[in-house]
Amino acid sequence: MIDTQADASVVAAAQEVSCGTWLRESFSSSKPLHVLTLTPFYPSLQDDGEGCFIAEPLQWLEPHGIRSSVLAVRPVYRGRAQRNPDVYPAAWMRYLAVPSGMGLPTSGRFLYARVRRAVLQRHARERLHLIHAHAALPCGHAALLLAGELGIPYVVSVHGRDAFSSRQVAGLAGQWCRRISREVYRSAQNVICVSRKVREEIIAGVECRTSVVYNGVNTNNFFPAADSRGGDPIVLSIGNLIPTKGHDVLLRAFAKVQDAHPRVRCKIIGSGPEHGRLVKLAEELGIRHRVEFMGRQTRESVANALRAGTVFALASSYEALGCVYLEAMATAKPTIACHGQGIGEVIENGVNGILMKPDDPCAMAEALRSLLRDADLCSRMGMAARRTVVENFTLAHQAEHLDRIYRECAQ
């Protein structure tokens, strides 16, 4: 799926992302490209879900003749990540950084100093054609410095709505982050946004070349259940337990529908600082016995939970796109999300999902009622959601589009 718009200095193409591996030597008949992927999030043995949207597409670019040297980086204060043998190979490196948002403006230079030697050595052994950095800080800033030294172009992906870190970091440090981010975007060959919503925020703050690159889903892992009949109906939600994910909205809505649906259960996958408050809220609403807080789960467990669910609901109010929505849709689940988020570019309200007003438990309750009382509607909406993903948002689509972007930038 491609969304394009041309202004004097802003061009939008649209597609999705992938690369190769640090050591693999295989090429297709296409002209080979060697891409350095620089990312601050990547699946580890401790958490195979972190950065899965970066790792999972990598192998799909190999048939296009594109391979990557993947550098997964993290600040020293976060501790060591253990390599996960089940995901696409990456070299892990730790770098010096000041904890908290105050250290974010300087993190790119610290990262550059840490990885410079390894990248130069890699480039000397086998020429790099392009750097793909994920997030402006720290990786985008480091990519800007590395690309200048190597004389090659770089692109940067923006995965969140806080594109300039102005929400994450306040005060003078936040202004510093914004200035550096603008420089990173302006100097990049392409700024790859995960939705048009993100693109709008980028071009409102800086003139640069942009592409809308929707994430893809591995439909071999996220697929419908063979038989969805039987068992109690389950409302499933997946997301970090933080305020913007809207789990409190779901709990308040669930309390409104429980009497009409005495067998329905609610399951929430995720961990975070809101756990205690959400448990207390469930108790206050009298629904604690029907709500299961499942904590962080593996990718396989997430896929299994989606197949076992009846409805997927996430009332997130600050979502760039939301891979979990696409994964739920891939498993043929009717999906409830909020207006004004990136996923609104994928969900057609009432056709392949439901879009509701943010922070509105009554709207969420009405959406849940409409689905829980009508199994045929659930089935039709779920299958329409599955078709949407299969036809437009798979990893194969992502690789095809990113191949085009990479080659345009590497010329």
Side-chain angles (χ1 to χ4, degrees), residues 18-253:
S18 183
C19 300
T21 170
W22 187 262
L23 295 174
R24 192 167 299 180
E25 300 297 332
S26 60
F27 294 102
S28 73
S29 58
S30 302
K31 179 181 178 181
L33 287 182
H34 185 193
V35 178
L36 172 66
T37 298
L38 190 61
T39 175
F41 15 74
Y42 205 76
S44 65
L45 205 56
Q46 298 98 313
D47 184 356
D48 71 347
E50 182 182 12
C52 58
F53 49 88
I54 293 173
E56 290 176 355
L58 296 180
Q59 64 182 355
W60 293 81
L61 272 182
E62 289 186 342
H64 295 268
I66 296 174
R67 64 192 185 91
S68 285
S69 296
V70 183
L71 266 180
V73 300
R74 62 192 296 159
V76 291
Y77 61 79
R78 287 192 59 194
R80 294 185 181 277
Q82 293 178 282
R83 296 186 185 185
N84 189 328
D86 297 327
V87 300
Y88 205 86
W92 283 89
M93 297 188 75
R94 300 166 71 206
Y95 65 97
L96 182 65
V98 178
S100 79
M102 291 298 295
L104 192 58
T106 58
S107 60
R109 286 198 174 274
F110 279 122
L111 176 59
Y112 163 72
R114 176 66 179 90
V115 305
R116 176 181 177 274
R117 181 179 179 184
V119 172
L120 291 178
Q121 289 177 343
R122 181 61 177 170
H123 184 62
R125 290 196 302 271
E126 184 177 6
R127 181 173 179 265
L128 293 164
H129 300 99
L130 180 73
I131 301 174
H132 187 170
H134 292 273
L137 291 170
C139 291
H141 192 195
L144 183 156
L145 300 172
L146 289 166
E149 187 166 0
L150 296 174
I152 62 174
Y154 74 94
V155 298
V156 57
S157 280
V158 184
H159 298 280
R161 300 239 343 235
D162 191 14
F164 297 91
S165 300
S166 55
R167 184 182 176 106
Q168 179 182 353
V169 184
L172 292 176
Q175 295 176 25
W176 193 1
C177 285
R178 185 174 183 83
R179 180 181 62 78
I180 296 173
S181 296
R182 285 169 57 90
E183 182 183 2
V184 168
Y185 297 143
R186 189 181 295 112
S187 301
Q189 190 74 10
N190 205 309
V191 179
I192 302 172
C193 310
V194 297
S195 65
R196 295 195 301 270
K197 178 65 67 174
V198 171
R199 179 184 176 274
E200 290 169 3
E201 300 195 20
I202 291 288
I203 63 175
V206 62
E207 288 189 353
C208 59
R209 185 184 183 192
T210 62
S211 294
V212 178
V213 178
Y214 296 101
N215 291 322
V217 179
N218 188 339
T219 52
N220 293 324
N221 293 339
F222 291 89
F223 54 86
D227 186 355
S228 58
R229 296 173 297 177
D232 293 340
I234 297 171
V235 175
L236 178 67
S237 190
I238 303 171
N240 292 332
L241 305 187
I242 56 178
T244 58
K245 295 298 183 181
H247 293 303
D248 58 333
V249 175
L250 174 60
L251 292 177
R252 295 181 191 280

Side-chain angles (χ1 to χ4, degrees), residues 319-400:
E319 204 72 52
L321 178 64
C323 293
V324 69
Y325 294 115
L326 296 176
E327 291 165 354
M329 294 172 71
T331 61
K333 290 298 175 286
T335 297
I336 304 172
C338 290
H339 285 290
Q341 312 307 309
I343 194 61
E345 299 163 28
V346 178
I347 291 179
E348 184 179 355
N349 191 30
V351 177
N352 60 359
I354 295 178
L355 296 173
M356 52 165 277
K357 181 181 177 183
D359 197 26
D360 189 341
C362 292
M364 172 66 83
E366 182 56 35
L368 289 174
R369 288 191 193 100
S370 67
L371 293 169
L372 291 172
R373 69 189 174 206
D374 191 339
D376 288 340
L377 176 61
C378 271
S379 178
R380 291 196 306 273
M381 192 172 287
M383 292 311 297
R386 169 75 179 179
R387 283 195 299 273
T388 297
V389 171
V390 169
E391 293 174 2
N392 299 283
F393 299 100
T394 67
L395 294 177
H397 290 104
Q398 188 173 357
E400 179 183 348

